[in-house]
Amino acid sequence: MHSSDAIAAGAAKFPKPADRTFQYGTAGFRMKASLLDSVVYRVGLLAALRSRKLNGQTIGVMITASHNPPDDNGVKLGEMLEASWENHATTLANAKNEHALVETYELLTDNLNIKPEAKSRVVFARDTRASGPHLVTALVEALNATGTESTDCRVLTTPQLHYLTRCINTKGTVYEYGEPTEQGYYKKLAVAFNTAMQGAKFSGPVTVDCANGVGGPKLRELIKHLPSVSDGGVEIKVVNDDIVEPEKLNHLCGADYVKTGQRAPPSSQAAPLARCASLDGDADRIVYYFLDSDSTFRLLDGDRIATLAALFIGDLARSAGLGEKLKVGVVQTAYANGSSTAYIENDLRLPVVCTPTGVKHLHHAATKFDVGVYFEANGHGTVVFSDLALKRLFKYEPKSPAQSSSLNTLRALSHLINQTVGDALSDLLLVEVILAHKGWGPKEWDQTYTDLPNRLVRVEVADRNIFKTVDAERKLEKPEGVQALIDGLVGKYKQGRAFARASGTEDAVRVYAEASTRGEADDLAAKVAGIVKSAGV
Ligand code: G16
């Protein structure tokens, strides 16, 4: 069959719901899974186009709704799409029927100078959601209709799919990233972890809540490759790893539950001062927490991981003799706690850049540094080493045994840290290695600076799209007049700061507020939420 006939025939099996307009959001398309199959089909077409545009480079497609509820699902391209391609995704998703879709597809092929005869290759995977296998059929239909060579990697974490895609695309080049298999991923992390440990001692176990998602089985698999406790390894206790009952996913557990509510999962049995961590539904986010000696809950979120990593890597670079050659910078979003930003700038003396929410923005900004540490406060992040930084790191001849030891640790970290995207499993091992080297428990880590009390509120409004932000989401440009109301309030609170922005993954507006006391932060958040609610009616 001619490709446009095949595309139309495939599309007819997955008709677009007439009453819906779809929008490529913070992390691709997200919604109730029952509405998603036409979108997935069209993302399959987009992936084919993207791969052809890049001369047959492999594109990763991930089916997941990460932190969202079990009956939602979503689809995103593994590669971080530039804004113009996000628009193409939205245009394809909204073509009203199969004929309009074929027309759009052909128009894009022409306008983007894509050679229809070029090769196209896609690898895809899904999380543990019950709707995943059905959505895969829609994707495969699109890949077949476009003559795309594809590989079904079945159930993986999002970062594992990113890893595979990078490995495939760099195979045989000087940038070869690793063995392009799931086992290759575990082996790479395990070897790097083992090297980075360098005899450092782990103090007690870490308990990891896997949000009852894909992170559970994958973490268990990773543990099989790590050194045992008797060989000096870290004891990792896996909890909330039930993927048999899909409705348990992200329910009363997981990184988003912990971060948003600033509380441990009710199922947690952690003793005071024991290290705990929570992953999200596709294992690309992680937050740590612990109970203080008086059983108060203490959160160690993405800001804390960023500061810990920046501190450790900066120190290692200096002690390896590379302090001047490896400039570390940190990228945050408006959600970063004001105290963390002050600590990075004033104590660590490192530059900080603020970007809008969404990994694509942070990742891009981080690549401007030799070593770019980027984390969203919600626990999504990684550390990227520039090509030049890696060259310096691996070419440098140490001048003393002390330099040599720091250099080896730093080199191992560059392998341990997932360079493609934030990865909860890799970040877990990174934090564990750093704490072990420093001889710190969660309390010592927590004591590096004091968070300003803060509150996140989710406000449901009639149409969140009327809320438009500027200045890296720190100010509302529309609806007009709302920012002035927020500013008027913020000025009344000591160390007050607040902002509102439309979520790109949920049908709601998010409000963040911080101030010098818990009462003030809660009060400010509630009042700003009230302003948003009235403006959104
Ligand atoms: C996704 C994005 C993150 C973002 C989060 C919330 O996370 O990958 O960058 O912080 O959504 O976004 P929003 O506030 O726009 O809803 P995940 O873990 O759900 O993929």
Side-chain angles (χ1 to χ4, degrees):
M1 211 184 324
H2 183 259
S3 147
S4 51
D5 295 340
I7 291 173
K13 295 186 194 165
F14 305 103
K16 174 184 174 294
D19 57 340
R20 295 278 160 173
T21 307
F22 300 114
Q23 174 80 47
Y24 196 97
T26 313
F29 296 99
R30 294 254 174 111
M31 64 201 83
K32 287 271 162 286
S34 55
L35 295 169
L36 199 67
D37 49 9
S38 71
V39 175
V40 172
Y41 181 83
R42 290 142 190 249
V43 168
L45 301 185
L46 183 86
L49 285 175
R50 184 74 186 149
S51 175
R52 289 205 164 98
K53 176 74 191 167
L54 300 174
N55 295 320
Q57 201 172 303
T58 295
I59 301 295
V61 178
M62 184 71 195
I63 296 180
T64 176
S66 190
H67 76 276
N68 298 92
D71 53 350
D72 283 13
N73 215 328
V75 61
K76 55 187 173 189
L77 290 201
E79 186 208 6
M80 282 160 229
L81 277 185
E82 36 193 272
S84 60
W85 278 77
E86 290 189 2
N87 293 338
H88 306 328
T90 303
T91 313
L92 282 167
N94 290 309
K96 65 178 186 306
N97 55 33
E98 60 268 31
H99 307 296
L101 181 61
V102 169
E103 229 170 79
T104 311
Y105 182 84
E106 290 183 341
L107 203 68
L108 283 174
T109 308
D110 282 351
N111 290 350
L112 297 168
N113 289 324
I114 292 168
K115 296 192 194 80
E117 69 284 1
K119 275 227 166 281
S120 55
R121 297 185 181 91
V122 164
V123 290
F124 60 90
R126 58 189 164 88
D127 68 15
T128 52
R129 283 177 163 79
S131 56
H134 168 72
L135 294 172
V136 161
T137 61
L139 180 66
V140 168
E141 191 84 34
L143 299 176
N144 290 342
T146 51
T148 300
E149 205 180 292
S150 68
T151 310
D152 182 354
C153 303
R154 298 169 186 275
V155 175
L156 289 180
T157 69
T158 296
Q160 286 179 326
L161 181 72
H162 278 264
Y163 165 87
L164 289 182
T165 313
R166 171 80 68 100
C167 290
I168 294 168
N169 286 327
T170 54
K171 204 171 166 49
T173 72
V174 284
Y175 300 107
E176 199 157 292
Y177 193 62
E179 182 192 317
T181 61
E182 187 182 337
Q183 288 302 313
Y185 168 90
Y186 300 124
K187 282 188 218 146
K188 177 169 177 169
L189 288 194
V191 169
F193 181 71
N194 222 341
T195 316
M197 276 167 40
Q198 297 226 19
K201 296 260 176 305
F202 299 96
S203 144
V206 55
T207 301
V208 184
D209 149 30
C210 298
N212 293 320
V214 60
K218 302 307 179 187
L219 177 56
R220 286 198 184 281
E221 195 57 38
L222 172 62
I223 291 170
K224 290 185 197 160
H225 294 77
L226 298 176
S228 64
V229 180
S230 55
D231 282 336
V234 57
E235 184 185 350
I236 302 176
K237 291 186 177 170
V238 181
V239 299
N240 298 330
D241 63 333
D242 181 354
I243 54 163
V244 178
E245 293 174 67
E247 67 279 8
K248 286 195 171 170
L249 174 69
N250 295 326
H251 183 63
L252 300 179
C253 59
D256 205 62
Y257 176 90
V258 171
K259 166 70 184 166
T260 312
Q262 305 186 25
R263 72 214 141 165
S267 59
S268 170
Q269 295 178 350
L273 303 180
R275 299 193 301 290
C276 301
S278 284
L279 318 181
D280 71 343
D282 63 344
D284 62 3
R285 292 197 218 167
I286 185 168
V287 293
Y288 267 72
Y289 46 96
F290 69 103
L291 296 181
D292 216 335
S293 330
D294 61 358
S295 290
T296 327
F297 173 83
R298 311 286 307 167
L299 180 66
L300 296 155
D301 62 6
D303 300 341
R304 295 284 181 172
I305 301 176
T307 50
L308 185 71
L311 166 72
F312 188 62
I313 291 174
D315 283 351
L316 275 182
R318 274 187 293 278
S319 53
L322 283 166
E324 285 309 307
K325 297 220 161 121
L326 292 184
K327 294 279 182 214
V328 181
V330 181
V331 185
Q332 302 187 308
T333 71
Y335 290 107
N337 195 281
S339 296
S340 72
T341 314
Y343 171 75
I344 299 164
E345 288 179 335
N346 304 334
D347 294 63
L348 302 184
R349 303 203 157 274
L350 297 175
V352 180
V353 170
C354 181
T355 75
T357 300
V359 197
K360 54 186 180 232
H361 300 295
L362 289 107
H363 192 97
H364 183 71
T367 59
K368 304 273 185 315
F369 295 109
D370 295 336
V371 182
V373 179
Y374 77 82
F375 272 88
E376 294 185 300
N378 63 22
H380 200 156
T382 191
V383 182
V384 285
F385 292 76
S386 73
D387 290 343
L388 187 65
L390 287 175
K391 215 176 260 167
R392 287 178 174 155
L393 191 57
F394 284 90
K395 278 207 165 146
Y396 184 72
E397 302 272 351
K399 312 279 180 295
S400 67
Q403 281 199 356
S404 169
S405 149
S406 297
L407 197 65
N408 285 339
T409 309
L410 203 48
R411 287 175 178 167
L413 291 188
S414 75
H415 293 307
L416 177 63
I417 300 168
N418 193 327
Q419 296 294 293
T420 67
V421 77
D423 179 341
L425 301 185
S426 151
D427 290 339
L428 170 76
L429 298 184
L430 171 68
V431 170
E432 288 302 314
V433 159
I434 300 179
L435 293 180
H437 271 280
K438 296 194 86 64
W440 282 2
K443 189 159 177 97
E444 288 76 18
W445 179 12
D446 190 41
Q447 280 169 341
T448 47
Y449 63 88
T450 307
D451 269 324
L452 283 170
N454 60 90
R455 183 64 64 201
L456 263 171
V457 186
R458 190 177 179 279
V459 189
E460 293 191 3
V461 294
D463 178 9
R464 69 183 150 130
N465 295 315
I466 64 169
F467 291 86
K468 304 271 186 233
T469 56
V470 288
D471 188 22
E473 300 179 330
R474 289 174 286 199
K475 296 251 173 285
L476 270 178
E477 180 185 51
K478 282 192 178 142
E480 265 162 44
V482 176
Q483 187 59 46
L485 295 175
I486 297 176
D487 290 343
L489 263 179
V490 168
K492 296 183 185 152
Y493 294 81
K494 193 168 167 216
Q495 293 181 281
R497 185 170 71 87
F499 66 91
R501 60 172 279 276
S503 161
T505 62
E506 295 173 31
D507 194 6
V509 173
R510 300 195 198 283
V511 167
Y512 173 88
E514 63 185 32
S516 64
T517 63
R518 158 77 26 233
E520 282 187 298
D522 288 350
D523 193 46
L524 179 58
K527 291 203 167 114
V528 175
I531 293 175
V532 167
K533 190 90 196 156
S534 317
V537 175

